[in-house]
Amino acid sequence: METSTIATPAGPVVVRHTGRTGRTATILLHGAAGSWTTWLPAIEAAGGADALDDLVVPDLPGWGDSPADVSTLDAASLARAVAATARGLGYERWRVVGHSMGGFVALELAAQEPAATESLLLVSATTLGGRGDRLGRFGLLRAFPGLALLLAGMRALAASGPAAAPFVRALERSGLLGALLAPLFALPQPLTVHELARDLRPAAFVRAVACALRYPAAERWARVRCPVLAVHGDHDVFVGADDDARLAAIIPRFSALTLSRTGHFGHVERPRFLAGVLGPR
């Protein structure tokens, strides 16, 4: 894939992309604990980047190779940055696949850009259940202990400043990081754990969760007019059992699919299910 840097209102976005054919872009949005590299298994399962056209895979501002002042970021600014990135590459329409926080951003993008957004595929999107505002701190811990504990760990890492990166690398070398992240997966994923260790951005993660708690989801997502398919694993520790029903009550053209023996990273654990989405249209 080619690498470009696109100026956006949220800062420069570094984006990997394949050749443009003039058709609608397929945009892949990573989650709050990763970068564009989490999509590599799905891209390979679809035949590899050489076989794909119109693929746009950005590092969102504040993550990966895209620098940003994370204190200014929220779902609206991230969505505007995604739209600016796609248009900077020459696209006016897009289909969006969003993982975890990327699914949250994809929904906001569809609300902002209803004419340009053709469809959404949400992969283990942390939407209504994981927001926690209706649960309170202890309710979040009781209902979504994985999310609550991960957030606590990210807050501690963010507070440690420059010491966070070497500490995470030490955890990985010792094997403890794999144990701590094991609840995210139905089966061990050592390569993905290595990528997460490299791409972890604790301050951006904490900011994303804080913004999600204040986000008017029901109001914003009721504006989504494109088809939305939500896919999540049956072992997902972040997506509640009632999330699909709650989203279906808000989004007019909503459907859902559960992947068996899969955790929070369906595009890593079951990459072939995305092959038809990413492949030639």
Side-chain angles (χ1 to χ4, degrees):
M1 285 191 283
E2 297 180 47
T3 301
S4 299
T5 301
I6 307 296
T8 80
V13 167
V14 177
V15 55
R16 277 75 181 182
H17 54 98
T18 58
R20 185 167 69 88
T21 66
R23 297 181 296 181
T24 301
T26 298
I27 304 174
L28 309 183
L29 301 181
H30 62 80
S35 73
W36 79 278
T37 61
T38 64
W39 295 106
L40 287 173
I43 292 171
E44 289 302 314
D50 290 343
L52 304 174
D53 294 320
D54 302 301
L55 193 61
V56 175
V57 196
D59 277 336
L60 291 167
W63 281 269
D65 296 326
S66 299
D69 177 2
V70 298
S71 68
T72 67
L73 299 178
D74 56 19
S77 62
L78 292 175
R80 286 192 292 270
V82 173
T85 299
R87 290 190 170 115
L89 293 174
Y91 296 102
E92 288 298 328
R93 298 179 63 81
W94 45 74
R95 304 179 304 162
V96 188
V97 183
H99 169 243
S100 195
M101 176 201 71
F104 202 109
V105 174
L107 285 163
E108 170 60 24
L109 176 60
Q112 287 184 13
E113 299 273 1
T117 306
E118 292 191 353
S119 65
L120 299 183
L121 173 58
L122 311 179
V123 182
S124 295
T126 43
T127 56
L128 295 170
R131 287 172 61 218
D133 54 345
R134 63 190 173 93
L135 299 171
R137 181 178 300 179
F138 295 107
L140 181 64
L141 179 61
R142 183 173 60 253
F144 300 97
L147 178 57
L149 294 175
L150 181 59
L151 177 59
M154 290 291 189
R155 283 174 174 156
L157 288 172
S160 67
F167 179 68
V168 170
R169 288 194 292 270
L171 285 177
E172 184 191 8
R173 287 194 299 270
S174 70
L176 289 175
L177 186 64
L180 291 172
L181 297 180
L184 297 178
F185 307 97
L187 297 173
Q189 300 287 335
L191 180 59
T192 302
V193 169
H194 174 72
E195 296 289 350
L196 293 178
R198 185 190 65 186
D199 292 328
L200 215 55
R201 301 292 186 272
F205 185 100
V206 171
R207 171 68 181 179
V209 173
C211 289
L213 298 184
R214 300 191 296 269
Y215 180 80
E219 174 191 340
R220 295 296 298 163
W221 297 344
R223 305 182 185 190
V224 175
R225 292 294 176 262
C226 67
V228 178
L229 172 62
V231 177
H232 55 81
D234 57 356
H235 287 70
D236 196 322
V237 295
F238 290 167
V239 179
D242 67 341
D243 279 19
D244 293 339
R246 288 165 57 81
L247 288 171
I250 296 170
I251 301 171
R253 303 171 67 186
F254 179 86
S255 58
L257 173 67
T258 300
L259 299 174
S260 63
R261 302 185 304 280
T262 305
H264 188 61
F265 282 75
H267 57 308
V268 172
E269 298 175 85
R270 306 286 179 192
R272 292 193 63 82
F273 89 88
L274 275 178
V277 176
L278 304 184
R281 300 185 294 282

